[in-house]
Amino acid sequence: MKAAPLYKVPVGARLVLDDVSWTVIGADKNGYAVEGLFDGEVTNFGIDWVQNAIAQNRCEVIKPAQLQKTKELLKFTGGYEREEQLPKEERVNIRARLALVAAAEKIESEGHKMTQRFLSRPDIITRLERMACEIAQEPNLFHISQVGSTRTPYDIPKGRTLSEMIARFKYFDRNPVALMHRHHLKGPPEHLRSRLCHWQEKFIDFVLNSAMNFSKPKLKPLFDLAKGSFEVPEDAFIRGFEFPSIVTVRTRWAAISKLVKTIGQNGSKFAANAQGAGSTDVRALFYGERGAMDQVYLSIFTNGKGDIVAEEIDPKKEGEELKPNEIRRLWMSFMLDVATRLPLAWVLSESADTDHTMALLRMATRDKTKEKERYGCLGTPAPPVNLMLTTADNGPATRAKNVYASQLGAGMSVVTSRTYNSTDNPNVERVFGTFQFQVLVFEKGYNGSRPGDLPGAEPMKEANISLDRLYEVITGYFIDEYPNKAHDGTGMFGATPNAKYRKTKKLYGAIDPPSPETRRRHLGMKKELSTTSEGILFNKIPYNSTELQSFHDGKAKKVTVFLDPDYLQRVTITAEGIEGIMHADLRMSALRDQTLYEAQDLMLAAVHDDPLLKEIDDAVLRKAIKRRSKESGFFSDSRDPASYGKTEYLEKKAAQLANVEVRPTGTQGATVRPGNIMDRSNHPTAYKTKRVAETVMDHPTKPATDKPKSGAGRIYAPIKKSKL
């Protein structure tokens, strides 16, 4: 047999479960049928579940009679339920009345019946006053309070008034707020108190509604324009309608809550960041569980040279702009561990892009002792950690596909926070303000939080801090200062980040070590290269190994090389058609302890040495080459014309050699029959003469030399020379 419920939950009672109110509309052995107070949803709650919630102090049961009394009390007091809601002066009055009621109950305990006539007797009133002062331990209790209608010692409630006060106090379960004055309820109801007519109220609403605009108009110009746009009905005009004054409109505008005005004039997203409720949840418990990153445009100008310098200006170039990046502002990418608030990585750059986000992830997963030694820090930087989860906003520097792919490949879960929602990523954003007002504000070139914040300052002219010096300041702050300061963030309770790290390490043990292979393949750089007999060159840095040479086998082959820019000692190599991966080691000991960027600077410095010495070296080199070329005797005198005709001579020679002899073929002329060679009409010359004559006839502009003979059909030139 199932046991009966321990706690009584009657029908009609109100259940407040996890700040949600439900009304019990039915109950049986299977559970309670409830209805939502705000949305009207009907559902069933199990008996055991409700009983456990009551036992665990997660559910409040308000009985129907209590609900009814609460409703009556709120109506009687005008909305007040506890004395803490009342002004201080009214609480003093309640204290005096409560002492008077306590004195009456004490007299009643002596066997007297508290009738209205008994409470009207002067001796009883005097005794009540004296006993009330003794109970409150205040001789002048009725001099500093207003118990009756006036503030006088003799104006004490009596008779029916005092009897009703005692009965009301007991009816409302001895709630002191039932003894308050109700002067604020005097007069007509709230909806009838206004002296303005219906259309005047509508005009005020019209103006205030127009003021809720993102352009944020001023009330006075808006008020004047609204008069011309508001249509006044004819009946209201007949009754003498007049527009309310601007003072009335401003009073109504001031009565609107600041949050409502912020939403109306700035939007919901801005209001959520500026005046939202925020978040107080603990989002990580141990070191390396969650890393948060973001970027900020630093409020300081830096000088590219690091010093205030003077430069000689060419008169021809006077008026030209400064060199790029001489005076500039920089971006800082930052990441911290959410559980301990330890700074994990910080990177300075001219722009917020994906390359620097990758550098930020690499710095978080590597040792930062080099920065500590280089800048002389005293503290211990955060150890390298293999992050389980990373969170960032939806900015262009973090939402790129290669950044997401790198994090997922390295075993990190990626959480993208919403844009313009500060509660999604509050831990890292809060550091930026702290860093600005504790560090940047004391450096030359600081330009304030917003445009026009420092009207008297000239940050661009005052800028004298170099990028390296600024990075030194940032590194010192995030290694020596920030981890050792008491932190009052959610879950920190005043502990320092270093203390929190030691505590989490003690509670949760050691952390997973970062993998060098994972860093190279997913967080490093990738290039397609060709093998040689000496290995490979990654940005002119040589790498080689036995397995790479075996793969090369005397023939250049395409390979994919993965390099960790922070550790140049080894690279990972993959190639199409082979199983597994290969490795190659650095073959230049001078670069072994350098990062990729330091190695590139070192090689660049070797090329771009002192310009003056470079010119001397070039001059010596040119003279040496000239002398050796003359002494070799290989070249002829450049002043001799014969030094320039050899090519033409060889071209003619080549043309002769390329010429091929061609034997012409014989031609066969016209012939005649044997024995007719002397016949003029059949002689070949006759055809030639005929063709000439026909040509002359075809061109009438050319006169013929002889007229043709009739009937002959041919023209013959006169014979002047023998043909034999």
Side-chain angles (χ1 to χ4, degrees):
M1 182 177 178
K2 191 173 182 179
L6 178 62
Y7 303 103
K8 184 186 298 184
V9 181
V11 176
R14 179 176 298 175
L15 301 180
V16 183
L17 272 164
D18 299 327
D19 296 330
V20 180
S21 298
W22 304 84
T23 301
V24 180
I25 58 177
D28 56 17
K29 61 180 181 179
N30 295 323
Y32 305 101
V34 296
E35 180 182 2
L37 185 64
F38 300 105
D39 55 8
E41 179 184 358
V42 178
T43 185
N44 290 322
F45 289 160
I47 292 180
D48 295 338
W49 185 74
V50 173
Q51 294 290 320
N52 291 333
I54 296 173
Q56 296 171 7
N57 204 24
R58 294 189 298 108
C59 177
E60 181 180 2
V61 181
I62 305 175
K63 297 180 180 180
Q66 190 177 355
L67 282 174
Q68 184 62 28
K69 282 189 179 180
T70 302
K71 187 182 297 184
E72 293 178 8
L73 178 65
L74 293 176
K75 183 178 179 180
F76 176 79
T77 60
Y80 296 104
E81 189 176 0
R82 303 293 301 175
E83 67 273 13
E84 293 84 0
Q85 301 173 267
L86 300 173
K88 182 178 180 180
E89 182 180 359
E90 185 60 30
R91 292 201 298 270
V92 173
N93 298 335
I94 290 178
R95 177 190 173 197
R97 289 188 168 197
L98 186 58
L100 198 61
V101 172
E105 290 179 341
K106 191 173 183 179
I107 294 176
E108 185 181 13
S109 64
E110 296 176 357
H112 299 283
K113 190 175 182 179
M114 295 291 105
T115 62
Q116 296 180 9
R117 179 173 296 183
F118 180 78
L119 294 175
S120 300
R121 289 168 46 182
D123 59 327
I124 298 299
I125 296 299
T126 303
R127 187 181 177 190
L128 285 174
E129 180 182 356
R130 185 177 65 254
M131 293 178 64
C133 292
E134 292 176 355
I135 293 173
Q137 298 182 356
E138 177 61 59
N140 300 321
L141 178 63
F142 297 101
H143 291 265
I144 62 176
S145 62
Q146 182 181 350
V147 182
S149 58
T150 60
R151 187 181 293 248
T152 53
Y154 53 82
D155 188 17
I156 296 177
K158 53 188 175 182
R160 187 187 62 178
T161 304
L162 184 57
S163 177
E164 291 177 353
M165 185 187 302
I166 297 172
R168 185 169 63 248
F169 177 68
K170 293 180 179 179
Y171 176 77
F172 288 118
D173 300 327
R174 308 182 67 85
N175 191 340
V177 77
L179 302 177
M180 64 174 288
H181 285 290
R182 298 198 303 157
H183 300 310
H184 63 289
L185 298 179
K186 293 179 179 178
E190 185 70 27
H191 65 283
L192 297 177
R193 292 183 185 182
S194 177
R195 297 181 181 180
L196 302 177
C197 69
H198 171 71
W199 289 104
Q200 288 174 325
E201 291 286 352
K202 286 187 69 68
F203 174 75
I204 295 176
D205 293 340
F206 177 72
V207 175
L208 298 182
N209 184 76
S210 302
M212 298 294 183
N213 193 284
F214 293 158
S215 61
K216 301 180 182 179
K218 298 295 183 181
L219 276 181
K220 185 60 172 67
L222 180 65
F223 174 78
D224 295 335
L225 288 176
K227 288 181 179 179
S229 301
F230 187 75
E231 298 291 339
V232 181
E234 184 178 347
D235 56 346
F237 183 77
I238 294 174
R239 288 193 292 268
F241 173 84
E242 292 184 1
F243 288 105
S245 65
I246 183 63
V247 177
T248 303
V249 175
R250 284 173 174 163
T251 302
R252 295 289 184 89
W253 176 257
I256 300 175
S257 69
K258 186 177 180 180
L259 180 58
V260 173
K261 289 187 284 189
T262 302
I263 296 174
Q265 294 188 334
N266 297 288
S268 300
K269 291 183 177 180
F270 179 86
N273 291 331
Q275 301 181 17
S279 175
T280 55
D281 57 330
V282 178
R283 305 189 180 186
L285 298 176
F286 57 88
Y287 181 69
E289 179 183 357
R290 186 186 186 106
M293 57 182 173
D294 203 353
Q295 303 83 31
V296 62
Y297 198 38
L298 294 180
S299 300
I300 189 170
F301 284 96
T302 60
N303 191 318
K305 296 182 179 179
D307 299 312
I308 300 177
V309 296
E311 182 180 2
E312 184 178 353
I313 301 177
D314 187 350
K316 298 180 181 179
K317 299 181 179 180
E318 184 179 2
E320 291 186 0
E321 296 183 357
L322 293 174
K323 296 178 181 179
N325 302 328
E326 282 297 310
I327 305 297
R328 57 188 173 178
R329 289 174 64 185
L330 298 173
W331 285 85
M332 182 180 74
S333 301
F334 181 74
M335 176 184 282
L336 89 163
D337 178 69
V338 175
T340 62
R341 306 301 200 277
L342 275 178
L344 296 178
W346 49 93
V347 174
L348 291 180
S349 59
E350 295 184 13
S351 61
D353 50 35
T354 57
D355 291 338
H356 296 95
T357 302
M358 296 296 294
L360 189 73
L361 291 168
R362 288 193 295 266
M363 185 176 183
T365 57
R366 68 168 173 84
D367 183 47
K368 290 166 277 292
T369 304
K370 182 176 290 187
E371 283 83 359
K372 171 187 174 181
E373 298 297 333
R374 178 177 181 178
Y375 298 115
C377 300
L378 302 177
T380 301
V385 60
N386 188 20
L387 293 168
M388 297 178 60
L389 183 146
T390 57
T391 179
D393 59 12
N394 201 26
T398 56
R399 69 184 178 196
K401 60 180 180 180
N402 60 327
V403 176
Y404 286 163
S406 299
Q407 295 177 81
L408 295 173
M412 307 176 192
S413 299
V414 180
V415 175
T416 302
S417 58
R418 297 167 295 176
T419 308
Y420 304 112
N421 282 270
S422 58
T423 56
D424 285 6
N425 198 16
N427 306 105
V428 66
E429 292 181 357
R430 185 64 189 91
V431 180
F432 295 150
T434 304
F435 172 73
Q436 176 179 338
F437 295 114
Q438 291 187 359
V439 179
L440 295 184
V441 71
F442 301 105
E443 298 291 339
K444 293 291 185 181
Y446 175 71
N447 66 329
S449 300
R450 61 188 66 87
D453 194 20
L454 306 176
E458 296 181 347
M460 294 189 68
K461 293 183 179 180
E462 297 174 354
N464 66 346
I465 187 172
S466 65
L467 187 150
D468 187 68
R469 169 59 186 162
L470 180 60
Y471 193 75
E472 179 181 355
V473 172
I474 294 174
T475 302
Y477 178 76
F478 286 135
I479 292 181
D480 290 342
E481 297 185 38
Y482 190 83
N484 296 301
K485 286 186 176 181
H487 202 296
D488 294 325
T490 301
M492 296 296 291
F493 308 110
T496 66
N498 276 333
K500 193 72 172 179
Y501 166 70
R502 290 190 292 267
K503 183 178 180 180
T504 57
K505 184 179 178 182
K506 181 179 180 180
L507 291 175
Y508 298 102
I511 60 177
D512 294 333
S515 170
E517 185 68 32
T518 301
R519 281 177 52 88
R520 282 193 294 268
R521 297 196 62 180
H522 299 288
L523 300 179
M525 300 174 64
K526 181 175 74 171
K527 269 193 175 185
E528 301 287 338
L529 301 174
S530 296
T531 62
T532 66
S533 59
E534 297 180 354
I536 56 173
L537 281 176
F538 195 106
N539 287 9
K540 298 184 179 181
I541 301 176
Y543 290 91
N544 206 349
S545 66
T546 302
E547 54 184 339
L548 181 61
Q549 285 301 313
S550 300
F551 171 76
H552 173 64
D553 195 21
K555 183 187 296 184
K557 297 179 181 179
K558 294 289 185 181
V559 292
T560 303
V561 184
F562 300 89
L563 171 72
D564 186 350
D566 297 319
Y567 298 100
L568 301 183
Q569 291 85 349
R570 171 168 284 203
V571 293
T572 299
I573 303 173
T574 61
E576 184 179 353
I578 65 169
E579 296 181 359
I581 58 176
M582 298 179 290
H583 295 91
D585 298 323
L586 180 66
R587 295 302 175 183
M588 187 176 289
S589 58
L591 304 179
R592 192 164 187 82
D593 294 330
Q594 307 292 323
T595 65
L596 177 62
Y597 310 107
E598 292 172 344
Q600 289 177 338
D601 291 340
L602 187 63
M603 292 186 290
L604 191 63
V607 175
H608 299 287
D609 209 343
D610 192 327
L612 183 59
L613 297 178
K614 187 78 165 53
E615 291 179 5
I616 296 175
D617 295 341
D618 291 342
V620 173
L621 177 63
R622 287 194 300 270
K623 289 180 180 180
I625 293 175
K626 183 177 181 180
R627 184 183 64 184
R628 184 164 60 85
S629 64
K630 287 184 176 181
E631 291 178 354
S632 65
F634 182 82
F635 300 97
S636 59
D637 191 352
S638 61
R639 295 168 296 181
D640 187 1
S643 301
Y644 305 96
K646 189 174 182 179
T647 304
E648 296 180 4
Y649 171 76
L650 294 176
E651 287 178 353
K652 293 180 180 179
K653 197 72 174 176
Q656 293 176 2
L657 294 176
N659 185 23
V660 179
E661 182 179 356
V662 179
R663 182 178 180 180
T665 59
T667 58
Q668 185 176 1
T671 61
V672 296
R673 296 190 303 273
N676 294 324
I677 192 171
M678 297 302 292
D679 189 355
R680 286 181 176 269
S681 61
N682 295 327
H683 198 275
T685 310
Y687 295 103
K688 179 178 181 182
T689 306
K690 178 183 178 182
R691 188 173 294 112
V692 171
E694 290 175 351
T695 303
V696 173
M697 292 301 294
D698 293 337
H699 297 80
T701 57
K702 296 181 181 180
T705 55
D706 294 321
K707 295 182 179 180
K709 296 180 179 180
S710 59
R714 293 187 179 90
I715 298 177
Y716 299 100
I719 301 174
K720 295 181 180 181
K721 188 177 180 181
S722 175
K723 301 298 181 179
L724 298 179

